[in-house]
Amino acid sequence: MLTVKEMMTPEPITLSSKHTINDAKRLMDSKRIRHIPIVSDTHQLQGLVTQRDVLAAQTSSLEKSVGNDDPMKATLSRFLTHSLYTVAPTVGLKSAALFMQKHKIGCLPIVENERLIGIITDTDFVAIAINLLEIQEETEPMELEGESA
């Protein structure tokens, strides 16, 4: 059985709750990611900021085009998703995928001894599916031209 530890992104890109939503947006744009775990100095997972959070802040910012309360300058502590689903590194890939599908979530932080050690995302599962399809194509018997079954 393959585990999430074997397929996760180890040491994911993180920010602290002191960073701003604007910091998260710039990081997401530059690294082409959609989820940023928020961790403490000791790497304990505190929450998660997603691309949806950034988009909501931008919309909110547009609505308040005048004023000092620009949501994009707010610290991430205001936007954290605190009720997180996490898994241990020993969880099977299939179980993790089914869990993500059931709960309609795009990523699972991987936590060991209360510390963030990795992340697995829906994009990782798409890559896994592509690899499995390629393996299947390579192992299928080739049909000879002109032969019918």
Side-chain angles (χ1 to χ4, degrees):
M1 167 181 83
L2 284 176
T3 64
V4 291
K5 186 173 186 173
E6 295 169 83
M7 299 306 291
M8 72 181 187
T9 300
E11 299 178 20
I13 296 166
T14 63
L15 290 173
S16 78
S17 61
K18 295 174 187 168
H19 285 95
T20 66
I21 199 80
N22 207 29
D23 295 332
K25 180 190 180 328
R26 281 196 307 269
L27 189 58
M28 286 178 183
D29 290 347
S30 70
K31 300 294 184 183
R32 301 181 67 198
I33 58 176
R34 294 178 294 139
H35 311 92
I36 301 177
I38 307 305
V39 296
S40 67
D41 294 339
T42 59
H43 253 49
Q44 287 189 317
L45 185 63
Q46 295 180 315
L48 186 71
V49 173
T50 68
Q51 190 174 42
R52 281 188 183 158
D53 298 322
V54 171
L55 291 173
Q58 286 178 310
T59 301
S60 184
S61 175
L62 290 173
E63 291 169 357
K64 295 182 178 185
S65 58
V66 180
N68 295 334
D69 293 346
D70 181 358
M72 295 302 288
K73 293 180 182 170
T75 60
L76 293 177
S77 59
R78 281 186 48 197
F79 296 90
L80 290 182
T81 302
H82 291 285
S83 56
L84 292 178
Y85 294 111
T86 64
V87 294
T90 55
V91 168
L93 273 179
K94 181 179 176 184
S95 294
L98 290 170
F99 187 83
M100 288 174 67
Q101 182 182 36
K102 176 183 176 183
H103 294 285
K104 298 182 187 323
I105 55 175
C107 76
L108 275 173
I110 314 302
V111 176
E112 186 173 52
N113 299 323
E114 298 183 24
R115 291 179 43 136
L116 178 71
I117 63 163
I119 192 168
I120 193 158
T121 68
D122 49 5
T123 303
D124 296 323
F125 282 105
V126 169
I128 292 165
I130 290 168
N131 287 333
L132 290 174
L133 290 169
E134 287 173 348
I135 290 168
Q136 180 185 8
E137 287 174 358
E138 290 171 4
T139 59
E140 287 180 352
M142 293 185 60
E143 292 183 23
L144 297 176
E145 285 185 38
E147 280 191 23
S148 59

